[in-house]
Amino acid sequence: MSPGSRTAWNCALWCLRLRSAFQTILACSIVYTTTLYGPQPLRQLVAYPAYSYLTTILIVSDATLGDSLRGFWHALCACVQVMTLSILSLLLIGPAHFSYFISALAVALCTFAVALPGATHLMAKRIAFGQIVIVYVGTAIHCAEAGELVLMHPIQVALSTMLGASASVMAMLFPNLFFYQKASVAAFLSPYLAYHEVRDMCQKYAENARKRLNFYSDAILSQDSSAALGFILQAQPLAQVGEKLLQSIKHKQEALMWERPKLRNILKPTCMDLGEKLQDIEIPLRGIAIAATSCPSFPVALIKKVQPDALHDMKRRIHDKLEQLEHFAPLCILKKKKKSLDESFWPLETIFREDLLAFFFLDCLKLLQENTEAVEECRESYSENESSHGSENQSHGGIKWSWSISCIIPSKTSLFFAVKCSVSLGLAVLLGLLFNEREAYWAGLTIAISFVRGRQATFTIANARAQSTAMGSIYGILCCFIFRKVENLSFLPLLPWLVFTSFLRHSRMYGQAGGISAAVGALLILGRRHYGPPLDFAIARITEAVIGLICFITMEILIYPARAATLAKHKLSLSLGTLQECIKDVVLFDNQNNMQASIFPKLRQKQKKLKSHVNKLQKFIEEAELEPNFWFIPFNGSCYRKLLRSLSKMGDLSLFMSNKTEFLSVVLQRCEVDSEDLQKPLKCIKNDIELFKKKVETSLQCLQELSSKKSLAVHDKHDIELGTSPKANECRCLETEKDEMECILNSFLQHSNEVSDRVGTNTEGEDQKLKSQVIVCLAGLGFCISSLLREVREMEKEFQELVNLENPSTHVIV
């Protein structure tokens, strides 16, 4: 990254963090002013300012107006749920009968009831968990005031929650002022909208895609290796940024829906899932990156045969459409139109092995051109037909106000989540009440906002929360000491602290959990009054927080006893199995149209499944690197990351391979495939592909068996070196029988040239266009075959390294 780009990136990052901090300060100021200086009747109703602050921090962190509106709705849902459950239980049992044990049991049962439905959003559950803790701990503490507790206590908790949610929305309605980077006066004075953020991210992604295309194409067109390597190195960090931008765009889609419920006035129905549509641009860019990084030497031979004007013209058209993506947003993704290569590329009639990479590059450029030409500027006025169609799609794709029966019925994951939350909170409340009745709230509140569905880095999150809680509390105590004579100014030291925590939330060491805990720790001391000596409160709160975190860690370990390292091994095995299925289902042309129609949709589903497995594997690897090893074998994160890269690349190659076989099957159906002279080489190509699939599947199956072992160091009958596995000798074919694989590839190229010679024998335009399509597809298919074989060999070496690291006394030779 150049110094100018790095400076611009740092400025943009600072602007984002300062804007988030400003919004947090504004929302907390509203809560502070209301709870300390508001009318007396209002202050009596919002009797729990601590929970108002907590709700505010949960909602307003890195939020837009749409996010805050969604958070307000979740807070309202939580209030309805908790008020219904708590008032019924208080009426049935009576506040006077709520001992410590009964209160803890009530917390556990109500938490279970709230956590069980799968349709409720996690934010609503977290807010409801905190309300449950406050209601029942307060009942246990003030059980003597039985008459007031039945209705007034739950109402006070609900109103305190809604104060925090309302403050978050009001803070988002404040104009952008100095924190918006665009020169538009309307945007400058408008609230911070997800609409603006999605538009900015789309523009940044378009610019990112354009730069990557330039770098990778310049690398392939380079005349020497050093210049090409420089271009590739500049493009690699841009690829990571592009992936993060796509994830952010997908993340903000729901917030966009909350800001503008009638999206048909802004977006056409086809762009409701903008992130998925932009993925159509990302996929060919990844293919171009694979081509650039796979080139053994420069310059690329075939590129010299292509007219430079033809390549530049194709790049120019792609650039023009990407510039539309930069200047007009939100975007509308229309149905793409299939295109063929320009006539300048038609003379490329013979496929040589050294030209496979160049053909694959040209095919990815063609695919990128197709997908970018599907990007058009949105129009605010549509025909009545489009509007009615948009309204229909809106009802299906927008905010769903009704729950289906399938959403209400709990799944196994929801059941585990409910048990984990209920037992953790119930135990934390009971131990907290036994230790310190007055501050027992914090044992439950500390973990109420920590729960997630599924697994998480338990020890890392608990450590971050404990450290950040102590940090925020100590900062609050020091500021109270400094401002002890001017109590009305005690809120001022919170301003720099909230700015600091906005950066802390995005740090690797503390993350969101640590940043939120640090902000709340200081707010509870500096943002309230009449809670006793600050030092005593801080010590008691930290102790209660540790009690809650111990309960949290204990239940996480009991519910999910498997370590992240073990899950990473299991997910690696599943990914290898799914990759086998993807390669196995790659089929080239069959006269049975029904079979063809059924195979390719199933293959696309398997490829999505593979992508899901790879994403989860990445999550488990990140978690395993953070968890403590204790007495277990240390987790080899570097080896797993190499395997992850290989799996991701092989997944992309299998996707390209399936796309080319599907397209080639359609194109060949337009030819006279029943003719004997064309059937013979086609049959040979099928045999070559089947032999390739058998070789790769055998190797992947052997690696899958090895990865499914409890420890990769234990490989007795699967020992590849000793060859005792019946699959082992086959698994070594890619290395020991390398000549055979060379023959398969050479045979495929020979038969591909025979097919291309028999297609488009006439010199007319349509026949030549058809022939160019067949040649480019077959060459791209050959590149995928050779790259997959090479990547399998790399994966075997990575497995060898992993086995040797887990058991240094055993050296496996693959």
Side-chain angles (χ1 to χ4, degrees), residues 561-575:
R563 298 174 65 234
T566 305
L567 293 175
K569 288 187 177 73
H570 177 64
K571 190 58 66 176
L572 175 61
S573 178
L574 289 179
S575 301

Side-chain angles (χ1 to χ4, degrees), residues 465-483 490 493-494 497 500-501 510 517-526 531 533-543:
R465 286 200 181 279
Q467 288 189 34
S468 302
T469 300
M471 227 176 7
S473 301
I474 292 170
Y475 179 82
I477 292 170
L478 292 174
C479 293
C480 281
F481 176 77
I482 295 171
F483 290 86
S490 61
L494 277 173
W497 184 253
F500 170 71
T501 55
Y510 291 99
S517 297
V520 172
L523 277 167
L524 295 180
I525 294 177
L526 297 173
Y531 54 84
L535 182 60
D536 294 344
F537 169 76
I539 293 173
R541 182 173 178 265
I542 291 172
T543 308

Side-chain angles (χ1 to χ4, degrees), residues 744-760:
I744 293 175
L745 184 58
N746 292 334
S747 175
F748 174 83
L749 294 178
Q750 177 186 346
H751 298 136
S752 297
N753 283 319
E754 292 177 5
V755 169
S756 66
D757 290 339
R758 289 165 173 77
V759 173

Side-chain angles (χ1 to χ4, degrees), residues 55-90:
T55 305
T56 300
I57 296 296
L58 280 177
I59 295 175
V60 82
S61 300
D62 298 325
T64 60
L65 179 59
D67 293 317
S68 62
L69 289 172
R70 181 181 59 181
F72 184 91
W73 169 253
H74 293 326
L76 186 61
C77 292
C79 290
V80 171
Q81 287 179 301
V82 175
M83 284 187 67
T84 304
L85 292 171
S86 59
I87 290 175
L88 285 176
S89 61
L90 290 172

Side-chain angles (χ1 to χ4, degrees), residues 92-132:
L92 289 174
I93 302 174
H97 298 91
F98 272 80
S99 62
Y100 291 171
F101 179 77
I102 297 296
S103 297
L105 183 61
V107 168
L109 292 176
C110 289
T111 300
F112 185 85
V114 169
L116 191 59
T120 312
H121 195 276
L122 183 60
M123 175 69 78
K125 292 180 189 291
R126 287 174 169 176
I127 295 173
F129 294 159
Q131 290 179 323
I132 290 169

Side-chain angles (χ1 to χ4, degrees), residues 1-10 208 211 215 230-231 233-241:
M1 189 180 292
S2 64
S5 301
R6 188 179 298 277
T7 302
W9 172 261
N10 290 335
N208 176 279
K211 288 181 178 179
F215 283 135
F231 289 127
L233 290 177
Q234 291 182 73
Q236 285 175 346
L238 291 175
Q240 298 173 1
V241 173

